[in-house]
Amino acid sequence: MRTEQNLTRLDRVFARLDREPERPAHIDVPKMSRHRVALCLATLAFYLAIVWLVVITSWLVRLDWLVMFFRPYQQWSGIHWFVDYYVVLGQRGPTAVMVAAWLGWRSWRQHTLRPLLTLGASLLLLNITVGAAKLGMGRLGPHYATAIGSNEMGLGGDIFPSGHTANAVVTWGILAYLASTPRARRWLSALSAVTSLGVGLATVYLGTHWLSDVVLGWAAGLLILLALPWCEPLIARAEVAIFDLRDRWRDRRAGTAPAPAPSPAPAAPVAVPVAYAAGAPAQEEASGAREPATPARSPRAPVHLAPGPHTTRSERTPVTPVGSRRPPHADRLPRGAAASAARPLTGG
């Protein structure tokens, strides 16, 4: 009776993912080119410049206060309901679920875990870098400001840079980063730029962030997208490790151990004819030296040879259980004996 293995949903997903052993040829993995390195360095310099302008309470801080006193949510109150919904596009939880669903389908279609692993790596970098900057600078938001005109730094806040803005840049920008064709990459880059720009301005409209928070959030998200090619080797190794772990887990579940290497079969003994003529002992010794060692056999009954001189194999009478089939000849002599009898004796 043939039995079939019951596959779980996880087994079916992995079976689909490793149907093709190699990544499809049309998937382009971005490289860290000179142009990209130059953009990354320029963005980092811009990031540090914004931080410095806020720390020294420059014109950028005065602009923050002017926008806060303008109160956009009161000037254009008719769009408040729309902005409340639109700003959700920058919240980490809902956007991560939506983008992960799309990239999960991409992983299924392209038979690779790279889209999901790239999203996970980008969100991990976002949480580490932006979270550390927020806690390190400790800036308070507009609704909690203590002194007019101050930069509100080091007071225990967590709004600088804007997490909504940086999350919108990374989450929607990862779709452009993983695009399969240059045309799709251009369109998705423009769409993610407009979306992240709108999310940043929505936080300024609602009064939850300073304008400088949003500018620094754009720079922080762009830095993560530009630095992602440096993570590609690690992402590839993680994909291989996940599939190896899956294989080991599957073997352990099935209870199968690696089969031992088959032992070589013993060589068959070579049959060497034994001569019984004169001078046969020396031939037997030579043949015995060439004959390989045979495995021990079970004890057998002793063989009793008939008394008298032994003849060569060609002169022996075939013996059957019921006796010889050749009639006896009393006058017949062995070939060796007849030759010696016919040879005349010569004196020395």
Side-chain angles (χ1 to χ4, degrees), residues 194-251:
V194 171
T195 303
S196 58
L197 179 65
V199 169
L201 294 179
T203 60
V204 175
Y205 170 87
L206 295 174
T208 57
H209 278 287
W210 304 101
L211 182 60
S212 56
D213 298 343
V214 173
V215 175
L216 194 66
W218 286 329
L222 186 58
L223 270 177
I224 294 173
L225 289 180
L226 291 174
L228 269 181
W230 278 325
C231 302
E232 286 293 342
L234 182 61
I235 292 172
R237 286 196 295 268
E239 183 179 10
V240 173
I242 289 174
F243 279 118
D244 289 343
L245 181 63
R246 182 278 314 265
D247 293 336
R248 290 196 299 269
W249 175 73
R250 180 182 293 174
D251 293 340

Side-chain angles (χ1 to χ4, degrees), residues 6-27:
N6 294 326
L7 298 178
T8 63
R9 181 175 300 177
L10 183 62
D11 293 333
R12 290 194 295 268
V13 169
F14 275 111
R16 170 75 180 188
L17 289 176
D18 61 4
R19 181 176 297 176
E20 295 181 5
E22 295 181 357
R23 196 178 283 120
H26 67 277
I27 296 181

Side-chain angles (χ1 to χ4, degrees), residues 235 287 311:
I235 292 172
S287 63
T311 61

Side-chain angles (χ1 to χ4, degrees), residues 45 167 179 255 282 304 336 342:
N167 182 73
H304 300 281

